[in-house]
Amino acid sequence: MKKLVFIIEDDLVQQKMLQVHFEDMLGNYTARTFSNPEDMMQHLREKPFAVVLDHFFSDKMGKTGLDYLRLMRKNHSSIPVIYYTTLDDEAVRAEVMSLGAEQYIIKNSASLVRLRSALDNLHEKESKKGFFKKLFN
């Protein structure tokens, strides 16, 4: 069964590239794309396997991915978030990681490989959690 991944990216070219990467190249995922994080927030009850969240958005509200990560942590803290951004800022990285994001990935020529590694790590965590859950039940 394919795992659902939400991709929040306002650049439609990047959005489509990520969707193809997840669905066709990796093959284990169904990618649901959103240009606006507000739209994604309404669908979190679907409990995606992971959320790939961009930092910058061209919305009128002036919020960044960091603002939406804070909101997600308040109401949906168990959903893993991979922060995917062009912003190479140590202060933002530190805050993102302190809010419990799985990884902070800077968009560059190696970012698709890093996304794959982040997802592999999530699968490993999930399988360990399932193993220990079965062991102690």
Side-chain angles (χ1 to χ4, degrees), residues 54-96:
D54 191 14
H55 181 73
F56 293 111
F57 299 101
S58 56
D59 66 3
K60 295 174 186 148
M61 299 180 68
K63 292 183 180 179
T64 67
L66 197 52
D67 297 309
Y68 291 101
L69 178 58
R70 285 187 196 103
L71 282 171
M72 286 180 65
R73 288 296 161 245
K74 283 183 183 177
N75 302 314
H76 304 280
S77 61
S78 65
I79 297 173
V81 175
I82 300 168
Y83 210 77
Y84 188 67
T85 182
T86 56
L87 186 66
D88 190 2
D89 183 313
E90 286 303 316
V92 173
R93 178 191 304 262
E95 187 166 0
V96 164

